[in-house]
Amino acid sequence: MQEGIECLRASTGEASLQSFLFVLPGAILADLYEKYGERLLEQNVRTFLQFRGKVNKGIRNTIVQQPAMFFAYNNGLSATGEEVITDEKGTRIQRIKNLQIVNGGQTTASIYTAWNKERANLDGIFVQVKLSVVDSEKINDIVPKISEYANTQNKVNAADFFSNHPFHLRIEEFSRRIWAPAADGSPRHTHWFYERARGQYANAQTKLSKAEAGKFAALNPKHQMFAKTDLAKFYLTFNEMPFLVCLGAQKAFAGAAGYKGFVSIIADEWTKNCDRNGDNTSINENWYKKIIAQAIIFKALNKQLAGTLRDINYGSYKSVIVPYTLAAFIHNIGKTQFCFDYGKIWQMQNLPEAVMENLLEIADEIISYFMNKQTNVSEFAKREVCWQEIQILSVNVHDEIRPFLCYKEDVQEEQQTAKKTQKDLNSINILQYVFEKTENYWWKLREWDDKKHCLTPKERSILDIACKISRGRIPSDAQAKVLVAAEKRAIEEGFYVQQ
């Protein structure tokens, strides 16, 4: 039996990207997903959306009921790889380095789930694959375009892109690691689950038993799951840009004509606050707890206005009143020597009654303002001039909320401490990376460089230290950063170790 998978080269030698077409047996695809899970979909703009949509249900039904028709009905996969090795004739693929399924994550996970959960027979399931060979340095530029242009199954929102930016990866890491204090007398600490890629929350439970899924839901409550567009909404509201929130989820996230969106604002903040080593320290644990506190406040007011029996009917204007009320509240506190103390909201995990009463009074002022304008409220709220007018309204901040305020100087001092802590965490993470690669890995890099002479003398001397970790030689923080940068350059020059 010949080794590898039969393929057809779909590009000429002059093409900017090498491309291959081949057919992959469903059993092999399920085995890959069993082994690598979501690592196979890291460059995908979303993960498996479960069997809720018509498309996924259709995939499942075809697998179980009409397996012979699967190939005809399914659109197949669009995938990338950093390197493809074929046989001498170039007709069989023998190895693919860093295979990533860019479009077809639903097909992949649907096949796996049908096999794993329903014991479906995959003997008759075959999937067509279009594979593009993309250099690692071009992945972030090319992959989003492949996904955008190739996707025809489920609508891909603008917010689904940009999900691999380091900012989102860090927020995801915080959300999985940091425990929120127990609320309302509950003895259980929980997580706020950040869904960096659409479908992650449901997909995280795919392989769990019923008991395990119950435990997961208890530790990661559904009402504490938030997506990128939610994050944008909270951030823009409390940073006094309610008019952007009123543009709608997608435009608030990606931007609109004449307005920067959350994507650009965060990208600028991330870059501005990177140190000389390229490590960001402003997006830290303190920043994360603050945004969660903002989420708690936003959700609480939104829920209260949806069910309030007050004289004023908020009706369809709630989506406008909530961000403008909160922005006005924060703006007027900012006129004083105080800031709102988000740390207390994080600790309480709910909104104090005194703060809610103040917000409801401001909400009444905001709705009165809009009613007096006698204009299309939803459209006017999208204009920055609306926010400029609301800023000069006479809005009362109650004395009763004083326990939930703190001095601005204290906040600044706390932010500086959080930045220093994040800098230490960045160093720990890079040292952990060096250790996890193992001494054997660094020896292989040394042997590779003996032939290629890619590294500088300084880099070689640090590499020698990493090759002696078992003897107690440990690189410093600065040396670890130099070593990882050298490794990255070596990989770009062809260094590769079979993991």
Side-chain angles (χ1 to χ4, degrees):
M1 181 178 178
Q2 287 182 290
E3 181 183 354
I5 297 175
E6 190 172 6
C7 68
L8 173 67
R9 189 181 292 273
S11 59
T12 65
E14 296 182 6
S16 59
L17 291 179
Q18 279 189 308
S19 299
F20 297 87
L21 299 175
F22 58 93
V23 176
L24 193 64
I28 292 180
L29 191 58
D31 184 65
L32 286 170
Y33 193 76
E34 169 78 19
K35 185 175 181 179
Y36 297 105
E38 291 188 14
R39 289 173 57 195
L40 198 63
L41 309 174
E42 285 179 343
Q43 293 294 335
N44 202 313
V45 295
R46 59 183 169 214
T47 53
F48 183 41
L49 302 180
Q50 305 297 312
F51 288 131
R52 292 194 296 262
K54 292 181 180 179
V55 174
N56 288 329
K57 289 180 180 178
I59 294 174
R60 178 263 178 200
N61 291 338
T62 303
I63 293 170
V64 175
Q65 300 169 10
Q66 296 178 288
M69 298 303 296
F70 186 89
F71 187 87
Y73 291 165
N74 190 264
N75 289 330
L77 312 179
S78 292
T80 63
E82 293 182 20
E83 181 182 12
V84 172
I85 296 177
T86 65
D87 60 7
E88 293 182 357
K89 295 181 180 180
T91 58
R92 301 188 78 86
I93 294 177
Q94 297 176 331
R95 186 166 71 86
I96 302 172
K97 177 183 177 182
N98 192 19
L99 173 67
Q100 288 283 299
I101 295 171
V102 177
N103 183 40
Q106 295 176 71
T107 293
T108 303
S110 293
I111 289 174
Y112 170 78
T113 302
W115 168 76
N116 184 53
K117 297 289 187 182
E118 302 185 48
R119 299 300 178 221
N121 187 342
L122 301 183
D123 288 348
I125 305 298
F126 295 89
V127 186
Q128 57 184 332
V129 181
K130 179 184 72 174
L131 175 69
S132 300
V133 183
V134 182
D135 292 337
S136 59
E137 61 185 18
K138 297 179 181 178
I139 281 179
N140 289 334
D141 294 327
I142 294 176
V143 167
K145 293 180 181 178
I146 293 175
S147 181
E148 181 182 4
Y149 299 150
N151 193 287
T152 57
Q153 294 185 340
N154 283 71
K155 180 182 178 182
V156 179
N157 296 319
D160 287 331
F161 300 102
F162 188 64
S163 62
N164 291 317
H165 188 280
F167 165 80
H168 292 291
L169 295 172
R170 182 170 292 179
I171 298 301
E172 180 183 45
E173 188 271 326
F174 286 154
S175 78
R176 306 299 191 268
R177 175 172 59 82
I178 298 175
W179 292 96
D184 298 326
S186 170
R188 189 189 299 274
H189 290 235
T190 58
H191 288 301
W192 282 75
F193 189 100
Y194 180 50
E195 200 172 60
R196 178 177 61 84
R198 192 154 57 103
Q200 273 184 316
Y201 184 81
N203 209 38
Q205 303 173 64
T206 300
K207 299 180 183 180
L208 303 181
S209 66
K210 187 175 181 179
E212 290 171 335
K215 182 178 179 181
F216 176 89
L219 297 178
N220 302 275
K222 183 68 180 291
H223 70 274
Q224 290 181 192
M225 186 271 283
F226 62 109
K228 294 190 294 297
T229 50
D230 297 318
L231 187 63
K233 181 169 60 180
F234 306 144
Y235 179 91
L236 295 173
T237 293
F238 286 88
N239 280 274
E240 302 182 27
M241 292 175 274
F243 53 94
L244 291 183
V245 178
C246 293
L247 290 172
Q250 295 299 313
K251 290 182 179 179
F253 184 86
Y259 293 123
K260 270 188 175 184
F262 177 72
V263 169
S264 298
I265 293 170
I266 285 296
D268 290 345
E269 180 179 342
W270 181 274
T271 303
K272 179 182 177 181
N273 290 284
C274 282
D275 61 23
R276 60 184 181 182
N277 295 311
D279 294 330
N280 175 280
T281 57
S282 66
I283 309 301
N284 47 53
E285 290 190 15
N286 187 60
W287 193 100
Y288 173 76
K289 291 176 181 179
K290 178 180 178 180
I291 202 74
I292 296 302
Q294 292 170 351
I296 292 169
I297 300 169
F298 193 105
K299 286 171 174 280
L301 181 60
N302 190 64
K303 182 178 180 180
Q304 182 72 21
L305 293 189
T308 186
L309 297 177
R310 297 166 71 82
D311 294 336
I312 297 176
N313 179 18
Y314 296 96
S316 60
Y317 301 127
K318 180 167 65 70
S319 62
V320 169
I321 303 305
V322 171
Y324 271 98
T325 295
L326 294 172
F329 177 65
I330 296 302
H331 178 76
N332 279 275
I333 292 174
K335 293 178 181 179
T336 70
Q337 59 185 319
F338 300 110
C339 289
F340 190 78
D341 192 345
Y342 295 106
K344 287 188 177 178
I345 305 300
W346 165 262
Q347 289 297 328
M348 297 173 67
Q349 289 292 298
N350 58 41
L351 188 63
E353 185 177 341
V355 179
M356 177 62 79
E357 283 302 316
N358 201 163
L359 290 175
L360 290 175
E361 182 181 299
I362 295 172
D364 291 347
E365 294 290 333
I366 299 297
I367 192 66
S368 296
Y369 162 80
F370 279 116
M371 293 300 96
N372 291 332
K373 292 296 292 186
Q374 295 184 344
T375 186
N376 186 317
V377 172
S378 298
E379 289 303 311
F380 184 63
K382 298 175 182 178
R383 298 171 57 189
E384 189 171 4
V385 65
C386 175
W387 172 234
Q388 292 170 347
E389 290 184 7
I390 284 180
Q391 287 181 65
I392 60 177
L393 290 180
S394 177
V395 173
N396 183 33
V397 177
H398 296 175
D399 292 338
E400 287 78 8
I401 72 163
R402 176 64 185 86
F404 306 101
L405 303 181
C406 55
Y407 289 103
K408 291 179 179 178
E409 303 86 65
D410 293 339
V411 172
Q412 292 171 354
E413 184 176 334
E414 187 178 77
Q415 289 173 344
Q416 291 304 314
T417 300
K419 285 184 177 182
K420 292 177 181 177
T421 301
Q422 186 61 45
K423 184 175 181 179
D424 292 339
L425 283 173
N426 291 344
S427 297
I428 291 170
N429 289 339
I430 203 164
L431 273 174
Q432 182 179 357
Y433 174 85
V434 171
F435 275 89
E436 287 178 348
K437 278 297 184 179
T438 75
E439 183 177 297
N440 182 58
Y441 176 86
W442 299 117
W443 268 108
K444 290 186 182 299
L445 176 57
R446 193 178 189 282
E447 291 167 357
W448 175 86
D449 191 59
D450 285 340
K451 300 175 183 177
K452 298 292 185 178
H453 305 293
C454 176
L455 307 185
T456 66
K458 178 181 178 180
E459 291 167 341
R460 285 279 296 193
S461 65
I462 297 173
L463 179 58
D464 287 341
I465 296 174
C467 290
K468 299 173 183 176
I469 291 176
S470 63
R471 302 184 211 174
R473 298 290 302 279
I474 300 175
S476 66
D477 295 347
Q479 288 173 330
K481 290 175 182 177
V482 172
L483 179 60
V484 172
E487 179 215 15
K488 181 180 179 181
R489 196 172 73 256
I491 291 173
E492 292 172 352
E493 294 295 328
F495 172 63
Y496 174 74
V497 175
Q498 183 77 39
Q499 297 294 313

